């Protein structure tokens, strides 16, 4: 019979013949595996990515609703760089130990959209300055 101060779970383990010391050691080993520096970095990166994603999507939605100027398309393409970069960066952190080379593909997507954002920024500047013809005439 178990001692009277044993909790019910411990009594069940004793009845089933479960070695509670090895189960506790297994639980501690599992916790150590889950709380590695890499997993902590992944969790922090994912949390930061979610915050950036939510904030930028709210900002983009407000531009879609309230921005009725000809700069709207450029602005939204420039603002979309934040969600794309946050998703790609967080995914790269998660896939760091993957055997497949998904990171290379994701970085190509990120680099491509960076080029799109830079082109949109140039279009934005030309539009603000009155267009390429007006700018060439001024210079």
């Amino acid at each position: 019979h178990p001692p009277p101060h044993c909790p019910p779970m411990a009594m069940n383990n004793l009845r089933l013949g479960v070695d509670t010391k090895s189960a506790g050691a297994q639980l501690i080993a599992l916790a150590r595996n889950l709380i590695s520096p890499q997993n902590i970095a992944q969790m922090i990166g994912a949390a930061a990515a979610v915050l950036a994603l939510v904030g930028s999507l709210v900002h983009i939605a407000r531009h879609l609703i309230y921005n009725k100027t000809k700069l709207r398309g450029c602005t939204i393409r420039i603002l979309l760089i934040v969600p794309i970069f946050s998703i790609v960066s967080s995914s790269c952190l998660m896939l760091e130990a993957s055997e497949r080379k998904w990171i290379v593909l994701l970085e190509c997507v990120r680099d491509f959209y960076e080029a799109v954002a830079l082109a949109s920024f140039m279009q934005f500047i030309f539009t603000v300055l009155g267009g390429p013809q007006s700018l060439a005439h001024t210079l």
Side-chain angles (χ1 to χ4, degrees):
H1 292 295
H5 63 278
C6 271
M9 184 66 172
M11 289 180 16
N12 288 339
N13 288 341
L14 288 174
R15 282 188 209 128
L16 296 173
V18 174
D19 182 11
T20 55
K21 290 183 181 179
S22 67
Q26 289 175 351
L27 185 62
I28 291 172
L30 178 65
R32 284 185 183 153
N33 288 338
L34 290 177
I35 306 175
S36 68
Q38 181 181 1
N39 288 350
I40 292 172
Q42 289 174 343
M43 288 185 278
I44 292 171
V50 166
L51 287 173
L53 187 66
V54 169
S56 64
L57 289 178
V58 166
H59 197 79
I60 290 168
R62 295 181 109 190
H63 269 281
L64 285 171
I65 294 168
Y66 299 115
N67 188 353
K68 303 297 183 196
T69 66
K70 56 186 174 180
L71 297 172
R72 178 180 178 182
C74 300
T75 306
I76 290 173
R77 283 192 299 273
I78 293 167
L79 290 174
L80 276 172
I81 203 164
V82 175
I84 290 173
F85 268 53
S86 66
I87 290 170
V88 168
S89 298
S90 180
S91 299
C92 285
L93 264 177
M94 300 296 177
L95 297 171
E96 192 174 42
S98 174
E99 292 179 15
R100 296 187 179 167
K101 301 299 179 192
W102 290 106
I103 293 176
V104 175
L105 176 66
L106 290 171
E107 287 176 349
C108 287
V109 169
R110 183 193 65 202
D111 292 344
F112 173 77
Y113 198 78
E114 185 178 4
V116 169
L118 285 172
S120 294
F121 180 70
M122 290 303 298
Q123 183 182 3
F124 181 89
I125 294 297
F126 283 143
T127 304
V128 167
L129 295 176
Q133 289 82 18
S134 173
L135 188 60
H137 184 274
T138 304
L139 293 176

